[in-house]
C-alpha cells in the first residue's frame, strides 16, 4: 500500500506532463492554421486596396475590355484573362492524358529495374527553373514549331471551316500554342508524380481479383485503378492547373506579349502573370499601377474559383463513395 501511495504522485506528474504537451501541440497547430488564414486575408485585402483605384475608374468594363494603352491610361483585362485561360486549357489537355499514361505505365507495365530511373527523370523536370524553360522555349522550341509543326497545322486545318480560324497563320513560332505546350511540359511531372503515388495505393488483391476473372490490363486500369484513386487523381490535376495559371517567366518568353485576342492559337497573346512581370517596373501613375494590381486580383479570384470547383468535385466524389 505504501508503494502504491508513493507511485501515485509520480503517475500524476507524468499525466500532467502529457496533458501539457498535448495542450501545447494543440495550440501550436491551431496557431499555424490561423496564421495561414491571416496571411491569405492580408494578401486579399492588399490586392483589393491596390486595385480599387482602377476598379473605380473603369468599373466592370475593366474585365470586358481588351484595350491596354498606358499612354491614354485606358486599361482592360480581357486579353490577359483570355490568354491565361486558353494557355492553361491547352496545357491541361496535353499534360493530363500524357501524365496519367506515364503513371499507368510506371505502376502497371514498366519493368521493375526501369521504374526508378524513369520516375527520377520525370521528377527532375519539376526541379528545372521556369526561366530555363523560357529560354529553351524561345531559342529552341519556338523555332522548331515555326519551321515544322505550325506550317503543318496551317496546311492541314486550313481547308476545314472553323478549325481554319483556330490554326490561322502566319507561323510566328511564339504564341499561345507555344506557351501552352511549354506549360504542359512544366505541369507534367506534378500530375505524373501524384498519379503514380495514388496508383501505388491500390490494394493488389483488387487487381489480382480482376485479373482472376479474365480482365485485361486496360479493364483493370479503367474499372479498378482509376475508380479507386479518382480523388487523388483529380487533386493532382488541379494542382497542375494551379501551376499553369500562375506561371510567369516561361510564358513571358514564348507567348509574344501582345494585348489582343485572336481566334488563332498560333497568334501572339499575353497572360495575367506575363503582363505584370513585363510592365510593373515601368508602370508610371496610380491608374497604371492599380490596373496591374487589379490583374493580380483577378488571377487570385480565378485561382480561388478553380480550387473551389476542385473541392466541390472531391466532396461529391466522397459523398458518392460513402453511398
Amino acid at each position: 500500500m505504501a508503494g502504491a501511495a508513493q507511485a501515485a504522485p509520480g503517475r500524476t506528474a507524468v499525466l500532467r506532463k502529457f496533458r501539457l504537451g498535448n495542450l501545447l501541440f494543440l495550440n501550436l497547430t491551431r496557431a499555424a492554421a490561423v496564421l495561414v488564414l491571416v496571411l491569405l486575408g492580408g494578401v486579399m485585402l492588399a490586392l483589393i486596396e491596390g486595385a480599387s483605384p482602377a476598379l473605380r475608374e473603369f468599373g466592370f468594363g475593366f474585365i470586358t475590355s481588351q484595350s491596354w494603352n498606358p499612354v491614354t491610361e485606358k486599361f482592360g483585362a480581357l486579353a490577359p484573362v483570355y490568354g491565361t485561360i486558353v494557355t492553361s486549357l491547352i496545357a491541361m489537355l496535353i499534360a493530363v492524358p500524357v501524365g496519367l499514361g506515364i503513371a499507368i505505365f510506371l505502376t502497371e507495365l514498366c519493368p521493375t529495374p526501369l521504374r526508378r530511373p524513369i520516375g527520377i527523370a520525370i521528377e527532375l523536370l519539376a526541379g528545372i527553373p521556369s526561366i530555363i524553360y523560357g529560354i529553351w522555349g524561345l531559342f529552341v522550341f519556338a523555332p522548331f514549331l515555326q519551321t515544322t509543326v505550325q506550317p503543318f497545322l496551317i496546311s492541314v486545318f486550313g481547308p476545314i471551316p472553323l478549325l481554319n480560324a483556330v490554326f490561322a497563320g502566319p507561323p510566328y513560332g511564339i504564341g499561345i500554342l507555344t506557351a501552352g505546350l511549354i506549360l504542359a511540359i512544366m505541369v507534367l511531372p506534378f500530375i505524373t508524380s501524384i498519379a503514380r503515388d495514388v496508383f501505388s495505393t491500390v490494394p493488389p488483391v483488387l487487381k489480382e481479383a480482376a485479373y482472376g476473372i479474365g480482365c485485361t490490363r486496360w479493364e483493370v486500369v479503367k474499372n479498378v485503378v482509376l475508380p479507386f484513386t479518382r480523388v487523388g487523381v483529380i487533386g493532382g490535376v488541379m494542382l497542375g492547373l494551379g501551376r499553369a495559371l500562375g506561371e510567369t517567366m516561361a510564358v513571358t518568353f514564348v507567348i509574344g506579349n501582345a494585348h489582343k485576342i485572336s481566334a488563332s492559337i498560333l497568334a501572339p497573346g499575353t497572360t495575367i502573370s506575363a503582363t505584370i512581370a513585363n510592365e510593373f517596373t515601368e508602370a508610371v501613375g496610380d491608374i497604371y499601377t492599380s490596373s496591374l494590381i487589379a490583374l493580380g486580383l483577378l488571377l487570385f479570384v480565378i485561382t480561388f474559383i478553380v480550387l473551389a470547383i476542385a473541392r466541390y468535385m472531391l466532396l461529391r466524389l466522397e459523398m458518392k463513395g460513402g453511398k
Side-chain angles (χ1 to χ4, degrees), residues 168-221:
Y172 293 104
I174 59 175
I176 291 178
L177 177 62
T178 307
L181 293 173
I182 293 293
L183 285 176
I185 298 173
M186 296 182 68
V187 304
L188 181 64
F190 295 94
I191 297 175
T192 301
S193 297
I194 294 177
R196 183 191 61 183
D197 291 340
V198 297
F199 289 166
S200 300
T201 63
V202 179
V205 65
L206 296 180
K207 294 188 286 187
E208 292 170 358
Y211 285 126
I213 62 175
C215 291
T216 63
R217 288 187 183 274
W218 164 242
E219 289 173 335
V220 171
V221 171

Side-chain angles (χ1 to χ4, degrees), residues 13-68:
V14 171
L15 292 176
R16 185 183 298 110
K17 181 179 179 181
F18 286 159
R19 188 161 49 249
L20 292 176
N22 289 334
L23 184 61
L24 178 63
F25 179 74
L26 173 63
N27 290 329
L28 287 176
T29 54
R30 180 182 297 168
V34 172
L35 178 62
V36 172
L37 295 178
V38 170
L39 291 175
L40 183 63
V43 170
M44 184 181 298
L45 290 176
L47 288 174
I48 293 174
E49 180 181 0
S52 57
L55 297 180
R56 286 195 300 265
E57 178 72 18
F58 305 113
F60 189 73
F62 180 77
I63 302 175
T64 59
S65 172
Q66 62 174 310
S67 173
W68 192 270

Side-chain angles (χ1 to χ4, degrees), residues 226-259:
L226 288 178
F228 188 87
T229 60
R230 56 188 178 182
V231 174
V233 169
I234 292 176
V237 171
M238 291 303 171
L239 177 63
L241 179 57
R243 171 70 187 274
L245 287 170
E247 178 53 41
T248 303
M249 293 309 301
V251 174
T252 304
F253 272 86
V254 299
I255 198 170
N257 302 305
H259 283 274

